[in-house]
PDB file of all heavy atoms in Angstrom:
ATOM      1  N   ALA A  14      72.096  92.572  42.765  1.00  0.00           N
ATOM      2  CA  ALA A  14      71.784  93.308  43.994  1.00  0.00           C
ATOM      3  C   ALA A  14      70.290  93.510  44.148  1.00  0.00           C
ATOM      4  O   ALA A  14      69.759  93.452  45.248  1.00  0.00           O
ATOM      5  CB  ALA A  14      72.517  94.646  44.008  1.00  0.00           C
ATOM      6  N   GLY A  15      69.582  93.765  43.053  1.00  0.00           N
ATOM      7  CA  GLY A  15      68.137  93.969  43.116  1.00  0.00           C
ATOM      8  C   GLY A  15      67.419  92.760  43.649  1.00  0.00           C
ATOM      9  O   GLY A  15      66.443  92.868  44.380  1.00  0.00           O
ATOM     10  N   GLU A  16      67.901  91.580  43.304  1.00  0.00           N
ATOM     11  CA  GLU A  16      67.276  90.357  43.789  1.00  0.00           C
ATOM     12  C   GLU A  16      67.643  90.105  45.240  1.00  0.00           C
ATOM     13  O   GLU A  16      66.795  89.745  46.040  1.00  0.00           O
ATOM     14  CB  GLU A  16      67.681  89.183  42.912  1.00  0.00           C
ATOM     15  CG  GLU A  16      67.083  89.296  41.519  1.00  0.00           C
ATOM     16  CD  GLU A  16      67.470  88.149  40.612  1.00  0.00           C
ATOM     17  OE1 GLU A  16      67.970  87.123  41.103  1.00  0.00           O
ATOM     18  OE2 GLU A  16      67.260  88.291  39.401  1.00  0.00           O
ATOM     19  N   LYS A  17      68.901  90.307  45.593  1.00  0.00           N
ATOM     20  CA  LYS A  17      69.349  90.069  46.958  1.00  0.00           C
ATOM     21  C   LYS A  17      68.589  90.960  47.942  1.00  0.00           C
ATOM     22  O   LYS A  17      68.205  90.530  49.017  1.00  0.00           O
ATOM     23  CB  LYS A  17      70.856  90.329  47.065  1.00  0.00           C
ATOM     24  CG  LYS A  17      71.424  90.087  48.456  1.00  0.00           C
ATOM     25  CD  LYS A  17      72.891  90.364  48.516  1.00  0.00           C
ATOM     26  CE  LYS A  17      73.169  91.784  48.471  1.00  0.00           C
ATOM     27  NZ  LYS A  17      73.673  92.641  49.383  1.00  0.00           N
ATOM     28  N   ASP A  18      68.355  92.200  47.541  1.00  0.00           N
ATOM     29  CA  ASP A  18      67.718  93.163  48.430  1.00  0.00           C
ATOM     30  C   ASP A  18      66.222  93.317  48.204  1.00  0.00           C
ATOM     31  O   ASP A  18      65.591  94.178  48.806  1.00  0.00           O
ATOM     32  CB  ASP A  18      68.383  94.534  48.270  1.00  0.00           C
ATOM     33  CG  ASP A  18      69.839  94.495  48.712  1.00  0.00           C
ATOM     34  OD1 ASP A  18      70.182  93.673  49.586  1.00  0.00           O
ATOM     35  OD2 ASP A  18      70.626  95.285  48.179  1.00  0.00           O
ATOM     36  N   GLU A  19      65.641  92.479  47.325  1.00  0.00           N
ATOM     37  CA  GLU A  19      64.207  92.523  47.032  1.00  0.00           C
ATOM     38  C   GLU A  19      63.747  93.914  46.614  1.00  0.00           C
ATOM     39  O   GLU A  19      62.755  94.435  47.107  1.00  0.00           O
ATOM     40  CB  GLU A  19      63.381  92.049  48.232  1.00  0.00           C
ATOM     41  CG  GLU A  19      63.618  90.615  48.607  1.00  0.00           C
ATOM     42  CD  GLU A  19      62.754  90.163  49.769  1.00  0.00           C
ATOM     43  OE1 GLU A  19      61.578  90.554  49.838  1.00  0.00           O
ATOM     44  OE2 GLU A  19      63.270  89.420  50.609  1.00  0.00           O
ATOM     45  N   VAL A  20      64.477  94.540  45.706  1.00  0.00           N
ATOM     46  CA  VAL A  20      64.128  95.872  45.239  1.00  0.00           C
ATOM     47  C   VAL A  20      62.725  95.839  44.629  1.00  0.00           C
ATOM     48  O   VAL A  20      62.454  95.014  43.760  1.00  0.00           O
ATOM     49  CB  VAL A  20      65.176  96.368  44.214  1.00  0.00           C
ATOM     50  CG1 VAL A  20      64.755  97.679  43.604  1.00  0.00           C
ATOM     51  CG2 VAL A  20      66.541  96.479  44.873  1.00  0.00           C
ATOM     52  N   PRO A  21      61.820  96.710  45.089  1.00  0.00           N
ATOM     53  CA  PRO A  21      60.434  96.625  44.639  1.00  0.00           C
ATOM     54  C   PRO A  21      60.158  97.233  43.267  1.00  0.00           C
ATOM     55  O   PRO A  21      59.097  97.004  42.704  1.00  0.00           O
ATOM     56  CB  PRO A  21      59.656  97.362  45.724  1.00  0.00           C
ATOM     57  CG  PRO A  21      60.641  98.311  46.314  1.00  0.00           C
ATOM     58  CD  PRO A  21      61.981  97.646  46.201  1.00  0.00           C
ATOM     59  N   PHE A  22      61.098  98.009  42.721  1.00  0.00           N
ATOM     60  CA  PHE A  22      60.878  98.637  41.430  1.00  0.00           C
ATOM     61  C   PHE A  22      62.107  98.528  40.550  1.00  0.00           C
ATOM     62  O   PHE A  22      63.231  98.636  41.037  1.00  0.00           O
ATOM     63  CB  PHE A  22      60.556 100.137  41.581  1.00  0.00           C
ATOM     64  CG  PHE A  22      59.322 100.409  42.378  1.00  0.00           C
ATOM     65  CD1 PHE A  22      59.405 100.685  43.728  1.00  0.00           C
ATOM     66  CD2 PHE A  22      58.074 100.389  41.781  1.00  0.00           C
ATOM     67  CE1 PHE A  22      58.272 100.926  44.478  1.00  0.00           C
ATOM     68  CE2 PHE A  22      56.930 100.622  42.520  1.00  0.00           C
ATOM     69  CZ  PHE A  22      57.022 100.895  43.864  1.00  0.00           C
ATOM     70  N   ALA A  23      61.880  98.337  39.254  1.00  0.00           N
ATOM     71  CA  ALA A  23      62.945  98.441  38.255  1.00  0.00           C
ATOM     72  C   ALA A  23      62.609  99.668  37.417  1.00  0.00           C
ATOM     73  O   ALA A  23      61.472  99.834  36.975  1.00  0.00           O
ATOM     74  CB  ALA A  23      62.986  97.197  37.379  1.00  0.00           C
ATOM     75  N   ILE A  24      63.589 100.534  37.228  1.00  0.00           N
ATOM     76  CA  ILE A  24      63.402 101.754  36.441  1.00  0.00           C
ATOM     77  C   ILE A  24      64.176 101.589  35.141  1.00  0.00           C
ATOM     78  O   ILE A  24      65.382 101.344  35.163  1.00  0.00           O
ATOM     79  CB  ILE A  24      63.916 103.002  37.193  1.00  0.00           C
ATOM     80  CG1 ILE A  24      63.358 103.076  38.616  1.00  0.00           C
ATOM     81  CG2 ILE A  24      63.644 104.268  36.386  1.00  0.00           C
ATOM     82  CD1 ILE A  24      61.881 103.256  38.715  1.00  0.00           C
ATOM     83  N   ILE A  25      63.485 101.722  34.022  1.00  0.00           N
ATOM     84  CA  ILE A  25      64.105 101.533  32.712  1.00  0.00           C
ATOM     85  C   ILE A  25      64.166 102.879  32.007  1.00  0.00           C
ATOM     86  O   ILE A  25      63.163 103.590  31.900  1.00  0.00           O
ATOM     87  CB  ILE A  25      63.295 100.520  31.875  1.00  0.00           C
ATOM     88  CG1 ILE A  25      63.294  99.180  32.620  1.00  0.00           C
ATOM     89  CG2 ILE A  25      63.855 100.400  30.469  1.00  0.00           C
ATOM     90  CD1 ILE A  25      62.151  98.291  32.283  1.00  0.00           C
ATOM     91  N   LEU A  26      65.366 103.221  31.543  1.00  0.00           N
ATOM     92  CA  LEU A  26      65.569 104.475  30.833  1.00  0.00           C
ATOM     93  C   LEU A  26      66.283 104.155  29.534  1.00  0.00           C
ATOM     94  O   LEU A  26      67.506 104.073  29.483  1.00  0.00           O
ATOM     95  CB  LEU A  26      66.392 105.446  31.691  1.00  0.00           C
ATOM     96  CG  LEU A  26      66.694 106.809  31.084  1.00  0.00           C
ATOM     97  CD1 LEU A  26      65.404 107.540  30.738  1.00  0.00           C
ATOM     98  CD2 LEU A  26      67.540 107.632  32.030  1.00  0.00           C
TER      99      LEU A  26
END
Side-chain angles (χ1 to χ4, degrees):
E16 292 180 15
K17 181 180 73 112
D18 296 332
E19 297 182 39
V20 174
F22 299 95
I24 310 295
I25 299 156
L26 180 59

